[in-house]
Amino acid sequence: MKKMIMTTLLLIVGLGAWASYIITYPNSAHRASAQAAATTPTPTPIKDETKPIPPAVKASVFSQGSDTVNEIALTFDDGPSAAYTAQVLDILQKYGVKATFFCIGQQVQATPDLVNQELQNGNVVGNHTWSHPDLTTLSAQDIYTQLHMTSDAIKSATGTSPVLFRPPYGAINDTVKQQANALHMTPVLWSIDTEDWQMPGVDAIVNTALNNAGNGSIILMHDGGGDRSQTIAALPRIITGLQQRGFKLVTVPELMADAN
């Protein structure tokens, strides 16, 4: 009897140790999944402070259309957002205006229908990385992964791969450009930053856009990454103000075509 009891106890202890091993040392797929999740968090809210751009790099990145054609491109970063993107699309539709949306891959994966609606409404969808990191701090392989995953998500949502790419914070160098080029994407920056992410007030957002507008301007706004209610309120005033001054509002590819 004592031997049976001892054998049973040893069996229980052994099973417990095995269970502890399984819990402590998950399989490699689980470990890889956990590591990937840990290295690609979505920053919320996103603070889009613009970084200094080396002059030589900026000169080779598209950030301004022709100064002889009265066209301006409205662009929106950090979406799609379930709370705000549909409102932006409704306003654009109301005024018969097309814009360019630079989307975050994680957000595309979460709300693919919104991305598809952007494209179906005649807008252009671009790549804004998977999780909004400063790409200049990453390795070439990590930069490629950020861009490739996002392009795949956009193609899955829309059936079309993006040909434009905007680096978060405007942070770009030769390595970033090379990885974008490997995916057949053109980097795009901006010439007017409304700083709407700072919530400066509706009047401030409108005034920044209108007071700095000129032929070929690319205006930066946001439809995701935080509270964008001021952007939503400012957008109709920006559109009507630019149109009253004779500007035609176009997509970035249209601006690029007319700049050649």
Side-chain angles (χ1 to χ4, degrees), residues 130-180:
W130 183 257
S131 60
H132 205 275
D134 177 346
L135 293 177
T136 61
T137 67
L138 303 183
S139 67
Q141 180 58 54
D142 286 343
I143 294 168
Y144 183 87
T145 298
Q146 283 276 334
L147 300 181
H148 187 265
M149 288 176 64
T150 303
S151 288
D152 279 356
I154 291 172
K155 185 173 183 180
S156 178
T158 67
T160 303
S161 296
V163 296
L164 301 180
F165 149 66
R166 175 170 281 169
Y169 316 107
I172 189 167
N173 56 23
D174 286 335
T175 303
V176 174
K177 287 170 56 183
Q178 289 164 4
Q179 298 311 309

Side-chain angles (χ1 to χ4, degrees), residues 2-227:
K2 289 182 178 180
K3 288 183 177 180
M4 291 178 63
I5 293 172
M6 183 62 71
T7 300
T8 302
L9 288 173
L10 289 173
L11 181 59
I12 292 171
V13 171
L15 289 172
W18 177 248
S20 175
Y21 175 84
I22 292 173
I23 293 171
T24 307
Y25 298 95
N27 63 45
S28 59
H30 287 172
R31 289 200 303 272
S33 177
Q35 289 169 355
T39 56
T40 56
T42 301
T44 304
I46 293 169
K47 296 182 178 180
D48 266 335
E49 297 100 331
T50 301
K51 292 189 66 176
I53 304 167
V57 174
K58 186 173 182 179
S60 62
V61 175
F62 191 76
S63 61
Q64 171 73 39
S66 171
D67 59 6
T68 62
V69 182
N70 59 340
E71 296 177 336
I72 287 178
L74 301 179
T75 66
F76 297 89
D77 286 10
D78 299 348
S81 158
Y84 300 107
T85 300
Q87 296 183 65
V88 172
L89 290 173
D90 286 345
I91 294 169
L92 295 176
Q93 284 282 85
K94 177 180 178 181
Y95 289 95
V97 170
K98 313 302 182 189
T100 305
F101 292 83
F102 290 96
C103 299
I104 293 178
Q106 289 180 335
Q107 300 299 107
V108 174
Q109 187 178 65
T111 54
D113 289 347
L114 282 173
V115 185
N116 190 49
Q117 185 182 348
E118 290 172 353
L119 194 66
Q120 292 302 315
N121 285 9
N123 302 293
V124 171
V125 176
N127 186 319
H128 197 42
T129 75
W130 183 257
S131 60
H132 205 275
D134 177 346
L135 293 177
T136 61
T137 67
L138 303 183
S139 67
Q141 180 58 54
D142 286 343
I143 294 168
Y144 183 87
T145 298
Q146 283 276 334
L147 300 181
H148 187 265
M149 288 176 64
T150 303
S151 288
D152 279 356
I154 291 172
K155 185 173 183 180
S156 178
T158 67
T160 303
S161 296
V163 296
L164 301 180
F165 149 66
R166 175 170 281 169
Y169 316 107
I172 189 167
N173 56 23
D174 286 335
T175 303
V176 174
K177 287 170 56 183
Q178 289 164 4
Q179 298 311 309
N181 184 63
L183 291 166
H184 311 291
M185 292 190 297
T186 301
V188 175
L189 296 177
W190 55 86
S191 57
I192 299 174
D193 183 355
T194 63
E195 298 188 343
D196 58 339
W197 63 269
Q198 295 196 71
M199 300 286 288
V202 175
D203 287 344
I205 295 170
V206 173
N207 290 337
T208 298
L210 298 184
N211 293 343
N212 294 284
N215 290 345
S217 293
I218 300 176
I219 299 177
L220 169 62
M221 291 179 282
H222 298 80
D223 65 317
D227 183 348

Side-chain angles (χ1 to χ4, degrees), residues 215-240:
N215 290 345
S217 293
I218 300 176
I219 299 177
L220 169 62
M221 291 179 282
H222 298 80
D223 65 317
D227 183 348
R228 303 307 180 211
S229 57
Q230 291 185 2
T231 305
I232 298 300
L235 184 55
R237 292 171 55 187
I238 291 173
I239 291 172
T240 56

